[in-house]
Amino acid sequence: MSVKKKPLVVVTRKLPDSIETRMRELFDARINLDDTPMSADQLAEAARSADVLVPTVTDHITADIVNQPDCKLRLIANFGNGVDNIDVEAAHARGITVTNTPKVLTEDTADMTMALILAVPRRMIEGASVLTEGKPWAGWSPTWMLGHRIGGKRLGIIGMGRIGQAVARRARAFGLQIHYHNRRPVAPKIAEELGATYWESLDQMLARMDIISVNCPHTPATYHLLSARRLKLIRKDAYIVNTARGEVTDEDTLIKLIEGGEIGGAGLDVYEHEPAVNPKLVRLAKAGKVTLLPHMGSATIEGRVEMGEKVIINIRTFLDAHKPPDRVLPSML
């Protein structure tokens, strides 16, 4: 009796042990044990040999890769919610299904966004460094390391999807006034629950906010959504928090405006040219002007395991000749 051959699944980065173990049980899984990011040539080779590719945000699955004459891929099961690392249109045209892992990282990312909203005005990282870097500290003083309270301030959320709404719920509990810009207003019931004010004009909202939180995906339409012109609309004492994608903001202009005192500061978990971080941002962080994190907004064990489980469900559903639950189409972007 012949045994059915398992499909070859190439996983580009190391995943939680429980997920890798399950993948080995179900598929002919090629695992990246040392977690070294794959080169473009290695990704191209994987596309020529694998039935299923499981990439992450660090892997750029370009049109050149999926359009190879001998590309064997049938499914790209992205380990992540955002699919800006994949040329979805090219894959779709080639008959390759693309899936992602939505609704998993909402709470984790919203938690980190709220942490940055608090960390920047209260100078948390700057204060912690006094103790961890051996700087002199004479004890409590009435006028030392003063920051700003956030209660009563206006928070402008760019992108009122699942994460934006989760941020709004947290922020409202801290006494922030909720404002937002989105492609369209949220349902009246949600707006009422959040006490949220809708701004059709992003320009008008930016000019009036104390804190701006970027929570929209990176798409061709949102590249440099916070352009040089728009960044100059922001108040001098306001600051920006970005836990979405670095490409949404014109990073060079943001740096210049913070350096010149034209924007109060920033809390950043993502960068325009990741994994490279502009040295000027590092200098601003050392000067206490910005708070920087290494893209860890969704970095929880629970979140990563749930992402892996979604990847497995998408692969199994596809291989069983059904539509995967998290299929991504070009029209959705």
Side-chain angles (χ1 to χ4, degrees):
M1 180 175 171
S2 62
V3 178
K4 186 177 179 181
K5 184 180 178 182
K6 293 181 178 179
L8 175 59
V9 176
V10 172
V11 184
T12 65
R13 299 296 298 268
K14 179 161 181 55
L15 303 184
D17 288 346
S18 61
I19 299 302
E20 291 185 340
T21 300
R22 187 59 177 147
M23 283 188 170
R24 285 185 178 275
E25 292 170 350
L26 294 171
F27 319 120
D28 177 10
R30 188 186 301 170
I31 305 298
N32 185 346
L33 294 176
D34 65 3
D35 200 34
T36 302
M38 296 175 70
S39 67
D41 287 343
Q42 289 173 320
L43 290 170
E45 190 283 326
R48 293 192 296 269
S49 59
D51 301 291
V52 179
L53 182 66
V54 181
T56 71
V57 65
T58 63
D59 307 302
H60 297 286
I61 314 303
T62 63
D64 288 341
I65 289 176
V66 299
N67 285 330
Q68 296 176 95
D70 49 353
C71 177
K72 189 182 175 184
L73 287 179
R74 293 188 287 148
L75 171 67
I76 301 173
N78 198 46
F79 184 86
N81 183 31
V83 291
D84 50 306
N85 58 308
I86 302 168
D87 192 324
V88 177
E89 189 170 346
H92 184 71
R94 186 66 188 262
I96 301 170
T97 299
V98 177
T99 62
N100 65 344
T101 58
K103 303 179 184 179
V104 171
L105 305 176
T106 299
E107 302 303 322
D108 297 329
T109 304
D111 285 345
M112 190 62 80
T113 303
M114 196 65 221
L116 284 171
I117 289 172
L118 287 164
V120 176
R122 294 305 306 272
R123 304 171 68 179
M124 288 183 186
I125 304 302
E126 188 182 358
S129 70
V130 172
L131 303 180
T132 59
E133 297 178 12
K135 299 176 183 177
W137 181 51
W140 181 87
S141 166
T143 57
W144 183 74
M145 198 61 76
L146 297 181
H148 294 276
R149 65 174 55 147
I150 66 168
K153 299 297 194 298
R154 293 186 178 95
L155 171 65
I157 298 173
I158 302 175
M160 201 62 150
R162 287 184 297 270
I163 294 174
Q165 291 174 32
V167 170
R169 290 187 180 93
R170 287 158 174 76
R172 195 177 187 203
F174 280 87
L176 285 154
Q177 298 176 33
I178 309 302
H179 298 252
Y180 73 99
H181 169 78
N182 206 40
R183 286 183 294 178
R184 60 185 67 87
V186 298
K189 182 178 179 181
I190 294 174
E192 182 179 357
E193 173 201 345
L194 300 175
T197 300
Y198 173 65
W199 292 83
E200 184 177 359
S201 168
L202 176 57
D203 289 9
Q204 291 183 17
M205 185 182 82
L206 291 175
R208 292 165 172 81
M209 296 298 109
D210 301 299
I211 308 160
I212 294 149
S213 179
V214 180
N215 298 108
C216 62
H218 172 223
T219 68
T222 63
Y223 175 76
H224 279 195
L225 182 66
L226 289 182
S227 61
R229 180 188 66 79
R230 283 193 169 127
L231 287 170
K232 291 173 183 176
L233 299 173
I234 295 171
R235 294 165 46 180
K236 290 185 178 182
D237 58 350
Y239 64 94
I240 296 171
V241 169
N242 189 354
T243 56
R245 286 290 188 269
E247 294 90 342
V248 177
T249 303
D250 182 339
E251 194 172 274
D252 288 339
T253 299
L254 176 63
I255 290 169
K256 290 176 183 176
L257 293 173
I258 295 174
E259 287 176 332
E262 298 301 311
I263 289 180
L268 306 176
D269 187 45
V270 291
Y271 308 92
E272 188 170 353
H273 304 291
E274 283 190 39
V277 178
N278 193 313
K280 293 181 179 179
L281 278 175
V282 177
R283 287 199 292 271
L284 286 170
K286 290 179 178 178
K289 297 290 186 180
V290 302
T291 297
L292 305 179
L293 295 176
H295 202 151
M296 53 189 289
S298 62
T300 66
I301 294 170
E302 296 86 350
R304 294 289 189 255
V305 170
E306 285 185 47
M307 289 169 69
E309 290 170 347
K310 270 189 170 285
V311 168
I312 290 172
I313 290 171
N314 282 320
I315 295 174
R316 293 193 69 183
T317 306
F318 176 82
L319 295 175
D320 287 341
H322 299 293
K323 290 182 180 178
D326 302 312
R327 189 170 56 145
V328 178
L329 301 173
S331 59
M332 299 165 60
L333 304 178

